[in-house]
Amino acid sequence: MEKKVEITIYGTEQLCPSCVNLPSSKETYEWLEAAISRKYPNQPFTISYVDIQSPPDDEKKKAFAERVIEEDMFYPVVLLEDKIVGEGNPKLKTIYLEMEKYGYTAVHE
């Protein structure tokens, strides 16, 4: 593994108007954390959730949260090392492919 990647999920408790019947942003965050941990055990990564309605003081995260709102992105928006890898209904396969570019190795059961 080349480096410990940072995954950031941007969303809000309110469902995206175009995302009816999909899990909430927070549920997606929890699901992704569990799925990635199972796929890449003992391979550290950082995952965090940012509420776009009340982002943290981190300027970079605050700026992206504003971008999500201004550009009417479908949330949750999933960033992996500052690259958008999912929007609205993120796909595990896309996220896994991006992680493997950083040297993560899948454990097959």
Side-chain angles (χ1 to χ4, degrees), residues 39 54 70 84 102:
K39 182 87 168 177
S54 56
E70 288 169 8
I84 297 173
Y102 288 91

Side-chain angles (χ1 to χ4, degrees), residues 3-83:
K3 70 175 270 190
K4 179 176 160 181
V5 298
E6 180 180 7
I7 302 165
T8 310
I9 318 300
Y10 290 84
T12 184
E13 286 186 33
Q14 178 183 344
L15 286 179
C16 161
S18 302
C19 305
V20 178
N21 298 324
L22 291 177
S24 71
S25 298
K26 195 75 159 178
E27 289 168 331
T28 300
Y29 158 75
E30 292 165 355
W31 167 71
L32 282 175
E33 183 176 35
I36 294 168
S37 295
R38 275 193 308 275
K39 182 87 168 177
Y40 305 107
N42 304 315
Q43 298 173 69
F45 62 94
T46 303
I47 186 165
S48 58
Y49 175 77
V50 174
D51 187 321
I52 60 174
Q53 302 297 334
S54 56
D57 286 335
D58 180 307
E59 286 304 316
K60 194 165 103 176
K61 289 182 175 165
K62 190 181 287 188
F64 193 82
E66 289 170 8
R67 183 177 158 200
V68 170
I69 294 167
E70 288 169 8
E71 295 181 16
D72 285 330
M73 293 180 169
F74 296 123
Y75 44 84
V77 178
V78 180
L79 256 62
L80 195 149
E81 290 298 310
D82 298 324
K83 178 180 179 184

